[in-house]
Amino acid sequence: MTENSQQQQAGNPTVPTQSLPTQYAPAEVEGKLYERWVERGYFAADPKSEKPPYTIVIPPPNVTGSLHLGHAFEHTLIDALTRRKRMQGYETLWQPGMDHAGIATQNVVERELAKEGKSRHDLGREAFVERVWQWKAESGGQISGQMRRLGDGVDWSRERFTMDEGLSQAVQTIFKRLYDDELIYRAERIINWCPRCLTAISDIEVEYQDDQGELVSIRYGEGDASIVVATTRAETMLGDTAVAVHPEDERYAHLVGTEIELPLTGRRIPVVADEHVDPEFGTGAVKVTPAHDPNDFEIGQRHGLPNLTVMDEHAVITAHGPFQGLDRLEARSAIVGALRAEGRIVAEKRPYTHSVGHCSRCKTTIEPRLSLQWWVKVAPLAQAAGDAVRDGRVNIHPKEMESRYFGWVDNLHDWCISRQLWWGHRIPVWYGPNGEVVCVGPDEQPPTGEGWTQDTDVLDTWFSSGLWPFSTLGWPEQTESLEKFYPNSVLVTGYDILFFWVARMMMFGLYAMDGPPPFHTIALHGMVRDQFGKKMSKSFGNAVNPLDWMDSYGSDAVRFTLARGANPGVDVPIGEDWVQASRNFANKIWNATRFALMNGATVEGELPPAEQLSAADRWILSRLNATVAEVDAYYEDYQFSKLSDALYHFAWDEVFDWYVELSKTTYFAGGEQARVSGRVLGEVLDVTLRLLHPVVPFVTETLWTTLTGRESVVIADWPKDSGFRDTAAEQEIELVQRVVTEVRRFRSDQGLQPGQKVPARLTLDGTALAPHEAAIRQLLRLQPEGEGFSATATLPVAGATVALDLSGTIDVGAERKRLAKDLAAAEKEKAQALGKLGNEAFLAKAPDNVVDKIRTRLAKAEEDIARITAQLDGLPQE
């Protein structure tokens, strides 16, 4: 009826069964288990294997980083997928590695040097880069050890680093190809400049936030030949080369083509007409500073305006005059003061809240700056990346995220890939003494001789990480691993880096690999937030170190909590009490398995045929197979929350709280039926532990190997749905559950303690409940009726009658008053619902979901009335 858990696998011999300690102690087993898995090569991927491949890459964490909850969340999901596929018989590769993180790593090492009173310039480029490598060897990559704590089943023998020799060759190869195809070029454009990191950064490395500033309105020119413009960056006016108005704005038609005086500078600048200007916004006129604003740069290009750079790389004013040498913020205040003194300030708004870009690394305010940089011409690459999703070669999950993807790739600007750093992949371009420019491939010798120099810039970190799915497999060499494991099966990553990383991998993968996309599916997840839905941040004081939770509750508890909150594309709230609940679940699995082993649960021998099984046995096997099918369907749809919930409720509710309890009377009675139920329980535990393993690997490994005597659940077969269903048995046990649930509710309503024994008479004859009287009595703590029995409360339920002797246990008068109050409330709720449902005008206007809610309320009220009435009828007469 289910897959036989004793089916032997090659290389997985039987080992002696061990006893279980009374309590589960994660800290005592997790580290040892993980090292055993690695030593035995369970996670190693063999390109020579004839098994079908299943490949996932790790989104490479920064070498400067450490494990945070976002990493733990993402790694849990990937590990669950790969563990399941490994059990299903796939040659599974989860590719690990780290990103060199250009700006972040250089900043770390520069801070270390600053403690010694030195800068990178004191060392020089070669010595500084060597110092970074030294730091990487000593302090970088601590996240690798933390991944082991979490249980990541990666192939450590394949660990890569984006500055490795092989990956560096891949970077140089694709740069050369793009350059030769005229998809890489050098040009002077407006870029995002960080005055702190002293480098260009891409649009996606700019974080926008609302800052408090000032909006000043300045009058340019005199009298009828004057125009008022507004700005939050008054210091940039020193670089203005025009004022722009809309071509159809009649207010300024007489000024278009003329020149007006630019205050404080003595220069005269033209008034130009441009479609970009919104005549409805502000005064309908804008200052044009082509060297310090991307929109102004475009206006300048259209009108042939000069580009005047008035700030250096440190955002210090370079324009001649009284403001030269001032920092941009100092200059802003000084310039506004000078304009005010001349009567040029028409209006001031302070504070003025507006969106301002900041460097994602150091949080410094970004300065748009005209600069000579290297660029990727993205239009043809982005077109291919969009088409791969449109034609179905790549599926984005959840599908509603497709629109965000298209909104990005269909509107990409050319990508600035050069960075003014020393740490990173140096641009493979040499300049000659006579203006020569030579791009050098990995197998070519750079030009030599007097006057030849290499470009000093390095490439954007995302340039190398965009090659990750194939560079880690040996590309540009045609390796066995590349042939076996490319393209990747799925990419699991956060929607927040859909644009940073995913789009770049799509563009480079389609270009470099001549057709196949880098992965078949992009499964997007949300961000981890605190229990109130707030973003986790050190500045908010709500950031959590997952290692602390692992120390307190075990890695399985952290993993299960994260997986249980993972709905596709939706943010995940998490709190410590939820981790505690998951720890309780792990303990429940442990205690229930330990009890089962002590009471005859076994996987030895064949599963008995259906005719030898009790209704409870057939019920749990039917539910087991249904759960296998349900979990499989959720895995294929990346519904981690739903599969975790399904496993939780099946294991805790159905197996441990119902089947084990229903079977206790059989175990205690002994004999053949106890042996049969022990074999069934062994089968159920075997399959349940295998189903749970991908999400909670440590506790399931310990329990499964103890139960089965086998080597490891990591390499066990994934359960299959045999198709066995027993509707009759399910209905029969559902009746038992109804009786037990109703009587338990009644007992609770009467204030009886769960363990308090009560004399009872059960009338079960003629119902499917008759064979279950012993189990029902066991579950409800019901004693035989005995001498002097008085049926003071009678409960009709599921066609049976349960008569209880509650004499001396409750205050009947007080209980009647309480129930009468509850009954009145339920009848009022019913009347209100009936009133609305009987109102034709209401039904005609109300949305379907509102009407459905009212019908649900009516059904609930009727159910409560029936239940309370039965309780009142069952109370003894006063």
Side-chain angles (χ1 to χ4, degrees):
M1 280 176 284
T2 59
E3 182 187 20
N4 192 326
S5 60
Q6 288 299 290
Q7 185 179 29
Q8 293 295 315
Q9 302 172 54
N12 191 12
T14 299
V15 296
T17 301
Q18 304 168 2
S19 60
L20 290 172
T22 54
Q23 292 184 323
Y24 178 50
E28 295 178 12
V29 301
E30 290 179 348
K32 295 175 184 177
L33 283 182
Y34 188 83
E35 290 310 314
R36 185 188 308 161
W37 293 336
V38 174
E39 288 169 6
R40 293 179 177 176
Y42 293 159
F43 306 141
D46 181 5
K48 296 183 181 349
S49 169
E50 295 183 0
K51 297 177 182 178
Y54 186 80
T55 314
I56 295 182
V57 295
I58 189 174
N62 288 350
V63 67
T64 59
S66 60
L67 191 76
H68 56 64
L69 267 180
H71 288 128
F73 172 53
E74 184 168 80
H75 291 202
T76 294
L77 305 187
I78 299 175
D79 197 39
L81 289 174
T82 53
R83 284 179 183 269
R84 173 174 174 262
K85 285 295 183 180
R86 188 178 295 111
M87 295 172 75
Q88 286 182 315
Y90 286 80
E91 191 62 31
T92 302
L93 169 60
W94 183 10
Q95 173 68 55
M98 289 182 293
D99 190 281
H100 66 277
I103 296 176
T105 305
Q106 181 157 319
N107 283 346
V108 167
V109 178
E110 287 195 86
R111 284 197 295 268
E112 293 295 316
L113 285 174
K115 295 176 184 177
E116 303 170 14
K118 298 178 182 178
S119 73
R120 61 182 165 117
H121 299 285
D122 294 325
L123 271 66
R125 184 168 192 141
E126 288 189 12
F128 176 77
V129 170
E130 181 57 36
R131 179 69 177 262
V132 180
W133 279 108
Q134 179 184 340
W135 174 87
K136 191 251 182 190
E138 295 173 356
S139 306
Q142 61 175 312
I143 199 169
S144 296
Q146 296 165 346
M147 287 165 59
R148 293 171 182 263
R149 281 287 311 277
L150 188 65
D152 286 4
V154 300
D155 185 348
W156 289 110
S157 68
R158 292 173 174 269
E159 187 175 12
R160 304 303 299 270
F161 182 54
T162 50
M163 289 283 286
D164 284 350
E165 182 178 348
L167 272 66
S168 296
Q169 183 183 26
V171 168
Q172 195 171 352
T173 298
I174 201 164
F175 187 100
K176 172 69 171 174
R177 290 189 187 179
L178 289 165
Y179 181 87
D180 289 346
D181 287 344
E182 298 183 349
L183 293 174
I184 281 183
Y185 64 94
R186 196 179 190 216
E188 196 172 42
R189 299 273 187 85
I190 292 286
I191 47 90
N192 302 300
W193 181 264
C194 177
R196 159 63 183 79
C197 298
L198 297 180
T199 181
I201 62 175
S202 66
D203 291 342
I204 55 178
E205 293 170 304
V206 178
E207 294 179 349
Y208 287 90
Q209 65 183 50
D210 287 341
D211 284 1
Q212 297 292 322
E214 62 180 348
L215 179 70
V216 294
S217 297
I218 309 168
R219 177 172 52 84
Y220 288 11
E222 301 292 344
D224 290 341
S226 67
I227 295 181
V228 175
V229 299
T231 182
T232 58
R233 301 168 65 223
E235 67 279 9
T236 63
M237 68 162 291
L238 300 176
D240 286 0
T241 57
V243 171
V245 298
H246 194 273
E248 298 177 5
D249 193 333
E250 295 181 358
R251 293 173 296 175
Y252 304 117
H254 67 291
L255 293 177
V256 173
T258 68
E259 290 186 342
I260 60 175
E261 183 178 343
L262 178 65
L264 306 181
T265 67
R267 289 192 290 113
R268 295 186 68 78
I269 58 176
V271 178
V272 300
D274 195 276
E275 295 280 353
H276 170 75
V277 180
D278 180 2
E280 303 298 324
F281 183 77
T283 64
V286 297
K287 59 192 287 298
V288 182
T289 320
H292 293 279
D293 183 274
N295 293 322
D296 293 3
F297 178 77
E298 297 297 333
I299 293 175
Q301 292 290 294
R302 288 192 288 271
H303 297 277
L305 301 175
N307 302 314
L308 296 183
T309 300
V310 296
M311 275 181 268
D312 67 11
E313 60 186 7
H314 297 280
V316 171
I317 301 298
T318 58
H320 293 295
F323 312 109
Q324 187 175 9
L326 294 180
D327 172 79
R328 56 182 166 171
L329 298 182
E330 297 172 333
R332 182 177 301 170
S333 177
I335 287 170
V336 170
L339 289 168
R340 188 183 298 113
E342 289 190 4
R344 295 282 178 179
I345 301 297
V346 176
E348 296 180 69
K349 187 174 183 180
R350 187 186 300 112
Y352 178 72
T353 303
H354 60 132
S355 182
V356 178
H358 296 260
C359 174
S360 62
R361 299 297 180 189
C362 70
K363 312 308 177 185
T364 301
T365 300
I366 290 301
E367 189 63 45
R369 185 169 187 256
L370 188 65
S371 181
L372 183 63
Q373 302 284 346
W374 285 95
W375 304 80
V376 171
K377 187 183 297 182
V378 301
L381 304 175
Q383 176 70 42
D387 289 346
V389 175
R390 288 188 176 93
D391 63 25
R393 283 175 291 155
V394 177
N395 297 308
I396 292 181
H397 188 86
K399 193 172 180 61
E400 54 264 29
M401 286 285 181
E402 280 187 0
S403 60
R404 295 184 64 175
Y405 176 80
F406 292 136
W408 179 257
V409 299
D410 292 346
N411 296 284
L412 271 178
H413 299 295
D414 284 0
W415 172 20
C416 178
I417 56 171
S418 46
R419 299 290 180 267
Q420 290 64 56
L421 304 170
W422 286 356
W423 173 245
H425 295 102
R426 195 164 175 182
I427 290 176
V429 172
W430 273 255
Y431 306 107
N434 299 311
E436 302 95 333
V437 179
V438 176
C439 180
V440 177
D443 300 322
E444 300 171 349
Q445 290 297 320
T448 58
E450 187 175 350
W452 283 94
T453 59
Q454 185 178 358
D455 196 299
T456 57
D457 288 351
V458 300
L459 288 163
D460 178 11
T461 297
W462 297 102
F463 191 95
S464 53
S465 60
L467 313 179
W468 191 249
F470 50 93
S471 64
T472 52
L473 297 173
W475 186 90
E477 301 298 325
Q478 295 303 306
T479 64
E480 284 184 317
S481 291
L482 189 65
E483 182 177 353
K484 177 72 174 180
F485 296 112
Y486 190 87
N488 289 196
S489 306
V490 62
L491 172 73
V492 178
T493 192
Y495 65 72
D496 54 319
I497 59 171
L498 179 62
F499 317 131
F500 284 79
W501 190 44
V502 178
R504 280 152 174 69
M505 286 190 292
M506 287 285 284
M507 290 191 297
F508 280 167
L510 289 162
Y511 173 80
M513 301 304 292
D514 299 321
F519 19 73
H520 299 305
T521 300
I522 301 169
L524 298 171
H525 59 72
M527 299 171 62
V528 178
R529 297 181 178 272
D530 70 13
Q531 65 266 43
F532 306 109
K534 190 174 182 180
K535 182 179 178 180
M536 285 192 174
S537 167
K538 290 181 181 178
S539 61
F540 295 155
N542 63 349
V544 173
N545 183 347
L547 296 175
D548 293 339
W549 281 353
M550 290 183 212
D551 289 341
S552 299
Y553 308 111
S555 297
D556 283 334
V558 174
R559 289 171 62 114
F560 192 75
T561 304
L562 291 166
R564 203 173 179 192
N567 289 301
V570 178
D571 289 345
V572 182
I574 185 173
E576 187 168 3
D577 54 339
W578 302 339
V579 185
Q580 292 173 350
S582 296
R583 183 270 317 274
N584 295 343
F585 179 50
N587 288 342
K588 182 76 170 182
I589 301 170
W590 181 273
N591 293 333
T593 304
R594 186 170 179 273
F595 168 84
L597 287 170
M598 293 170 60
N599 288 277
T602 180
V603 294
E604 294 296 331
E606 293 296 324
L607 197 63
E611 56 269 20
Q612 294 182 20
L613 303 181
S614 68
D617 294 336
R618 287 181 280 113
W619 163 73
I620 197 61
L621 290 173
S622 182
R623 291 294 307 128
L624 176 66
N625 277 283
T627 301
V628 171
E630 185 179 15
V631 169
D632 275 336
Y634 287 142
Y635 262 115
E636 295 305 314
D637 199 34
Y638 304 99
Q639 297 278 0
F640 295 97
S641 176
K642 290 182 178 179
L643 72 89
S644 299
D645 254 355
L647 287 169
Y648 176 90
H649 289 296
F650 175 71
W652 191 307
D653 300 343
E654 298 186 276
V655 178
F656 305 142
D657 278 359
W658 282 108
Y659 179 67
V660 170
E661 293 298 320
L662 284 168
S663 301
K664 277 184 178 179
T665 52
T666 304
Y667 299 145
F668 298 155
E672 179 60 19
Q673 194 57 51
R675 187 195 68 78
V676 169
S677 290
R679 179 63 187 89
V680 171
L681 180 56
E683 183 78 8
V684 171
L685 289 174
D686 168 21
V687 175
T688 302
L689 292 171
R690 283 187 280 152
L691 288 173
L692 284 164
H693 173 72
V695 182
V696 285
F698 294 106
V699 67
T700 52
E701 171 79 338
T702 305
L703 295 174
W704 190 84
T705 53
T706 303
L707 171 70
T708 66
R710 304 289 304 285
E711 182 183 341
S712 174
V713 70
V714 177
I715 53 174
D717 289 334
W718 180 252
K720 295 177 182 177
D721 173 16
S722 69
F724 172 77
R725 301 290 190 277
D726 192 322
T727 305
E730 291 196 32
Q731 292 174 344
E732 186 171 327
I733 299 304
E734 283 173 11
L735 289 177
V736 175
Q737 291 173 323
R738 279 182 58 193
V739 170
V740 172
T741 301
E742 285 298 320
V743 176
R744 278 177 174 169
R745 181 185 295 146
F746 180 80
R747 287 174 55 110
S748 176
D749 288 341
Q750 309 310 313
L752 299 177
Q753 295 300 313
Q756 185 174 350
K757 294 183 179 181
V758 177
R761 176 188 300 135
L762 274 60
T763 306
L764 308 176
D765 294 343
T767 72
L769 295 166
H772 303 285
E773 178 170 352
I776 291 172
R777 286 187 176 276
Q778 171 71 25
L779 289 165
L780 290 171
R781 305 295 190 267
L782 301 180
Q783 293 177 319
E785 45 189 290
E787 200 171 319
F789 176 83
S790 173
T792 57
T794 303
L795 301 176
V797 56
T801 302
V802 179
L804 305 173
D805 184 353
L806 302 178
S807 53
T809 61
I810 61 171
D811 183 335
V812 175
E815 187 60 22
R816 280 192 178 279
K817 287 181 181 179
R818 185 184 70 81
L819 289 173
K821 183 178 178 181
D822 291 347
L823 181 61
E827 288 174 337
K828 181 179 179 181
E829 176 75 2
K830 177 182 176 180
Q832 290 176 342
L834 284 172
K836 288 185 177 181
L837 293 173
N839 186 333
E840 294 296 334
F842 170 78
L843 293 176
K845 295 179 181 179
D848 289 345
N849 65 317
V850 173
V851 176
D852 288 341
K853 285 183 180 179
I854 294 172
R855 287 186 177 131
T856 301
R857 284 170 49 194
L858 174 61
K860 175 67 166 54
E862 289 176 336
E863 180 183 318
D864 288 344
I865 290 169
R867 175 177 57 81
I868 297 168
T869 301
Q871 287 177 234
L872 283 166
D873 291 343
L875 287 175
Q877 298 299 316
E878 294 182 76

